[in-house]
Amino acid sequence: KEKLSRIYKNPTDNHYYEKFDDGKEKDITEQIPYELPANWCWSRIGVLEEINLGFTYRPHYTEKGIYFLSVKDISGGKIDFSKAQKVSEETYKNAAYGSKPQKGDILFGRVGTIGKPQIINDETPFCIFVSLGFFRDHLNLINKKYICSWMESNLFNEQVQLNVKGTAQINLNTGWLKGFYIPVPPLKEQNKISLKIEALNKQIEFINISYSKVNKLRDLLKNKIIDMSIKGQLTKQLSTDEPSSKLIEKIVDKKHKLMAEGKIKKENLSIIYKDSDNQFYEKFDDGKIVNVTKEIPFDIPNNWIWTKYKNICIISSARRVHKSDWKSDGIPFYRAREIAKLSEQGYVDNKLFISNELYNKFSKSGVPKENDIMITAVGTLGKCYIVKSKDKFYYKDASVICFENRFNLNPNYIVNYMNSNIMKKQIKNDSSGTTVDTLTMVKMNEYYIPIPPIGEQNRIVFQINQLFNILE
């Protein structure tokens, strides 16, 4: 037995009242969510549906027997028996009435995953844990699909949020679920609404599938554009461009000078060239020459050159910042996750900072500058962010690598190559088998990159931006 009620609108004062079985009435005008058509009415879900919930204890599981479902078994948007536990037939037989849903009942999540209503459409016997509940309509006077639509509506979610405020875990308590408001149309209208929603959902599903296909095609086209660009197939080569071999020689000379002055760490730099035998060779500072033909990924135009990252920029890491130095304000401090967000969104809601004093101290050994490239080195590898003129931040050692772009290459060209399929594949292969995916400075220094003349770099970046804008 339950204390039921009926909600009606009094035409004399236009107020809503709730009249209970015992004759008491209550003005609930301020609680009514919104006005309904004249032939609709408001009700409480507990008046329309019997609400049940499952086992309040965890039973003994068996290899064979009756399915025992919990909220994880409906989280995917349908009832899924494939990974469900089982209990003995005796446990099922002795289980409470309210823990054994039947065909026609509406199953829903109560704990963690709220809602996800599913109409039970077959006779498979099963029982449920307390993380699930179900509606049962003994009179079948309400369209079950309409009830499901109500559970997926903003109105339902608003009532959930109103009741769960201050609770540690979202829990659809059946005590206050009974009191949830639901708008009730005439049965024929419920049927029409359910059919309309079903038709619209099919259209939405079709649109989502189409949108997904378009996105995949867009990504494929973007990858193709980048792959063409790094092979010199996207733009016309100009004979007036100074060959890249001259550019690399100038950069290497500048690095030698910086090393001699003690301003950067000494490295064994190299020049890669193609000899008369059509083989590629790498000549190092120490005089060693190595045939690297098999390591060259693809052919490039004659006025381009293959080189290694260590020859075109200064790859550096940050000084150690201890957790005790983290602040709630000051200079932004970025880890790999923040750099990845900057790469994807152009902004980040940062929570970590270091003091101005510590930043100034680190500035003596180097901080990110305009047109430097920050690269994620743990987790999702190779996400790139080009430092802007207004940026002022520091970064976490080991999890982020900095490409100091001191020799004024086009940073967007380097990022485009980092985003190419061949570079992604190389980074992925080098990280396979490791406990945590990592990109080290040692590996990064030795990766190959094709370098066009500066003018060609600029034209490639311009052309990629033009084509990408068309695809958006």
Side-chain angles (χ1 to χ4, degrees):
K1 289 187 177 181
E2 294 185 69
K3 187 179 179 182
L4 304 180
S5 65
R6 180 175 68 87
I7 297 172
Y8 69 96
K9 187 176 184 180
N10 191 325
T12 58
D13 59 5
N14 281 328
H15 278 217
Y16 285 89
Y17 293 89
E18 185 170 16
K19 185 174 182 178
F20 297 90
D21 284 345
D22 58 10
K24 289 182 180 179
E25 289 193 7
K26 182 180 178 182
D27 189 326
I28 58 169
T29 306
E30 293 187 359
Q31 299 176 26
I32 296 299
Y34 46 81
E35 290 293 324
L36 297 173
N39 60 340
W40 293 35
C41 72
W42 285 104
S43 182
R44 308 269 191 184
I45 189 64
V47 172
L48 307 179
E49 300 285 324
E50 177 186 276
I51 304 174
N52 296 282
L53 64 151
F55 284 48
T56 55
Y57 65 94
R58 199 172 293 278
H60 175 71
Y61 300 138
T62 58
E63 286 190 18
K64 296 182 179 179
I66 306 297
Y67 288 113
F68 180 77
L69 272 60
S70 65
V71 70
K72 67 177 177 59
D73 300 309
I74 68 163
S75 297
K78 62 179 182 179
I79 300 172
D80 182 10
F81 292 101
S82 64
K83 296 180 182 178
Q85 298 285 359
K86 291 180 180 179
V87 296
S88 67
E89 291 190 14
E90 183 179 0
T91 300
Y92 176 75
K93 181 180 178 182
N94 295 328
Y97 158 88
S99 63
K100 297 189 283 190
Q102 300 171 2
K103 183 178 180 180
D105 292 342
I106 301 172
L107 197 64
F108 58 84
R110 286 188 58 251
V111 179
T113 300
I114 300 297
K116 297 280 185 181
Q118 305 294 325
I119 301 170
I120 302 171
N121 290 317
D122 62 44
E123 304 282 358
T124 303
F126 67 93
C127 47
I128 58 173
F129 189 49
V130 71
S131 60
L132 291 173
F134 64 89
F135 291 133
R136 178 168 290 168
D137 180 0
H138 292 279
L139 301 176
N140 289 318
L141 294 178
I142 303 293
N143 186 301
K144 299 180 192 303
K145 290 182 179 179
Y146 178 78
I147 296 289
C148 290
S149 296
W150 167 75
M151 284 199 86
E152 293 169 343
S153 70
N154 288 333
L155 173 62
F156 177 81
N157 289 325
E158 286 166 5
Q159 293 180 88
V160 170
Q161 296 304 319
L162 187 66
N163 282 276
V164 299
K165 281 183 179 178
T167 57
Q169 184 180 29
I170 296 180
N171 185 325
L172 193 58
N173 183 289
T174 52
W176 41 258
L177 173 59
K178 289 179 181 179
F180 275 19
Y181 290 104
I182 177 171
V184 184
L187 185 56
K188 286 185 179 180
E189 184 71 10
Q190 293 175 35
N191 297 338
K192 288 180 182 178
I193 290 170
S194 297
L195 288 172
K196 187 67 174 178
I197 289 174
E198 195 172 351
L200 289 171
N201 281 337
K202 287 181 179 178
Q203 290 182 31
I204 291 169
E205 185 179 0
F206 174 77
I207 291 169
N208 286 338
I209 292 171
S210 301
Y211 187 71
S212 177
K213 288 180 178 178
V214 168
N215 277 341
K216 286 180 180 178
L217 179 59
R218 183 187 290 120
D219 290 341
L220 286 172
L221 286 171
K222 284 184 174 181
N223 287 333
K224 182 64 177 177
I225 289 167
I226 289 175
D227 286 346
M228 288 178 65
S229 74
I230 62 175
K231 294 176 181 177
Q233 299 170 354
L234 191 65
T235 52
K236 185 178 180 180
Q237 307 301 307
L238 300 182
S239 58
T240 53
D241 285 335
E242 183 182 61
S244 296
S245 56
K246 300 289 185 183
L247 173 64
I248 298 302
E249 286 174 8
K250 290 176 185 176
I251 293 175
V252 169
D253 285 345
K254 288 179 182 178
K255 288 199 78 173
H256 282 147
K257 185 178 180 182
L258 290 171
M259 286 189 284
E261 294 171 350
K263 293 181 179 178
I264 62 173
K265 183 181 177 181
K266 287 189 176 182
E267 296 179 84
N268 191 15
L269 302 180
S270 64
I271 294 290
I272 297 173
Y273 63 93
K274 192 175 186 179
D275 213 342
S276 56
D277 59 359
N278 280 329
Q279 299 285 299
F280 286 92
Y281 295 89
E282 184 174 12
K283 183 177 181 180
F284 294 89
D285 287 343
D286 60 10
K288 184 179 180 181
I289 299 176
V290 179
N291 189 321
V292 294
T293 306
K294 291 183 179 179
E295 297 177 36
I296 299 300
F298 49 81
D299 291 328
I300 52 176
N302 291 330
N303 60 340
W304 291 32
I305 193 170
W306 280 103
T307 190
K308 288 180 175 177
Y309 281 94
K310 67 180 180 182
N311 299 319
I312 60 169
C313 59
I314 298 167
I315 299 178
S316 60
S317 186
R319 292 176 63 178
R320 177 65 56 87
V321 175
H322 299 281
K323 276 193 174 183
S324 56
D325 292 319
W326 291 0
K327 307 292 181 185
S328 57
D329 57 28
I331 304 299
F333 178 66
Y334 296 153
R335 298 158 296 181
R337 69 192 74 173
E338 283 81 29
I339 294 298
K341 286 183 179 178
L342 282 167
S343 167
E344 294 164 357
Q345 303 170 359
Y347 66 92
V348 61
D349 183 16
N350 187 54
K351 306 294 184 192
L352 296 180
F353 301 84
I354 61 172
S355 66
N356 278 277
E357 292 76 16
L358 190 60
Y359 177 80
N360 291 333
K361 179 183 176 182
F362 289 162
S363 294
K364 296 174 184 177
S365 55
V367 294
K369 295 181 176 62
E370 183 179 6
N371 287 331
D372 285 350
I373 303 167
M374 312 307 297
I375 302 176
T376 58
V378 294
T380 303
L381 306 181
K383 292 284 186 180
C384 301
Y385 173 69
I386 299 172
V387 181
K388 309 296 186 292
S389 59
K390 62 182 179 180
D391 285 334
K392 188 176 182 179
F393 65 87
Y394 204 60
Y395 60 102
K396 191 175 188 308
D397 63 300
S399 70
V400 179
I401 293 174
C402 179
F403 280 12
E404 297 181 37
N405 188 19
R406 294 198 195 182
F407 310 111
N408 299 318
L409 296 175
N410 190 313
N412 287 289
Y413 172 78
I414 297 174
V415 169
N416 284 328
Y417 187 70
M418 286 292 296
N419 289 331
S420 67
N421 287 327
I422 193 162
M423 194 68 204
K424 287 178 181 177
K425 185 178 180 180
Q426 194 167 3
I427 291 173
K428 184 178 180 181
N429 288 343
D430 284 349
S431 295
S432 62
T434 57
T435 306
V436 179
D437 288 350
T438 55
L439 178 61
T440 66
M441 291 170 57
V442 173
K443 290 177 184 175
M444 203 66 242
N445 271 312
E446 296 301 319
Y447 285 139
Y448 291 90
I449 178 172
I451 297 295
I454 287 291
E456 178 69 4
Q457 292 176 35
N458 297 336
R459 291 192 293 273
I460 287 171
V461 169
F462 177 80
Q463 189 65 46
I464 288 175
N465 289 338
Q466 291 283 95
L467 293 172
F468 278 19
N469 286 335
I470 292 171
L471 292 174
E472 291 301 328

